[in-house]
Amino acid sequence: MLANCHFDSVANSPGASDDAVSCSVLLEALHSMSNLSTPLQHAVIFLFNGAEENILQASHGFITQHPWAKLVRAFINLEAAGVGGKEIVFQTGPENPWLVQAYVRAVKHPFASVVGQEVFQSGIIPSDTDFRIYRDFGNIPVFLTAVYDMM
């Protein structure tokens, strides 16, 4: 599994929610997993990439050039929009319902919406996420969560 976030931010932004908060979450997950007494059944690759705000260069470089990319069977991307709020699943593929089912089983209060997917597909927001790169260039089942605040 690939767990991904980006550490860069848009120009003139401190990048606290987009996407430093996700980097913190992945670092804590990595810390917790490294202290497990029982080894995991499958490998987890933690990717902290840059150039997400600059045409998704790092994720593209990883999925098209890194030898570990061939080992990835599923991908979780942590992202943010706004300054905080509730964690939501807002992009995933219909061809991989097992990812959503695993999320529903694992999360105490799962929350998802198709609005994010619709917004990105419509082009209303001239933006993109690593989701598209891994889906399109890696043909990997993708699951995107984001912290959002529409206020």
Side-chain angles (χ1 to χ4, degrees):
M1 185 185 89
L2 175 66
N4 180 83
C5 68
H6 66 93
F7 55 81
D8 64 328
S9 63
V10 295
N12 300 318
S13 169
S17 69
D18 187 13
D19 196 26
V21 69
S22 296
C23 291
S24 298
V25 169
L26 283 188
L27 284 170
E28 182 57 31
L30 178 59
H31 178 260
S32 296
M33 292 171 128
S34 67
N35 290 315
L36 292 174
S37 58
T38 306
L40 298 173
Q41 284 185 314
H42 304 285
V44 179
I45 299 169
F46 287 85
L47 180 59
F48 300 85
N49 69 50
E52 191 267 357
E53 302 291 355
N54 187 14
I55 65 169
L56 312 166
Q57 294 175 24
S59 57
H60 184 270
F62 175 80
I63 204 63
T64 60
Q65 298 177 33
H66 199 285
W68 290 355
K70 295 177 182 81
L71 305 173
V72 177
R73 297 293 175 256
F75 163 70
I76 296 174
N77 187 37
L78 300 183
E79 190 48 89
V83 295
K86 190 171 189 166
E87 183 79 15
I88 181 173
V89 173
F90 77 96
Q91 283 184 295
T92 189
E95 61 281 344
N96 299 293
W98 62 272
L99 277 173
V100 175
Q101 292 164 358
Y103 168 73
V104 169
R105 284 191 309 271
V107 175
K108 189 173 185 175
H109 300 289
F111 187 64
S113 174
V114 298
V115 173
Q117 181 68 26
E118 296 295 326
V119 167
F120 277 101
Q121 284 181 339
S122 72
I124 292 171
I125 297 176
S127 183
D128 211 345
T129 70
D130 292 324
F131 173 92
R132 183 181 59 78
I133 298 297
Y134 292 114
R135 181 196 63 204
D136 295 354
F137 292 92
N139 196 25
I140 300 170
V142 183
F143 194 77
L144 177 75
T145 67
V147 174
Y148 79 101
D149 182 5
M150 299 303 173
M151 299 307 287

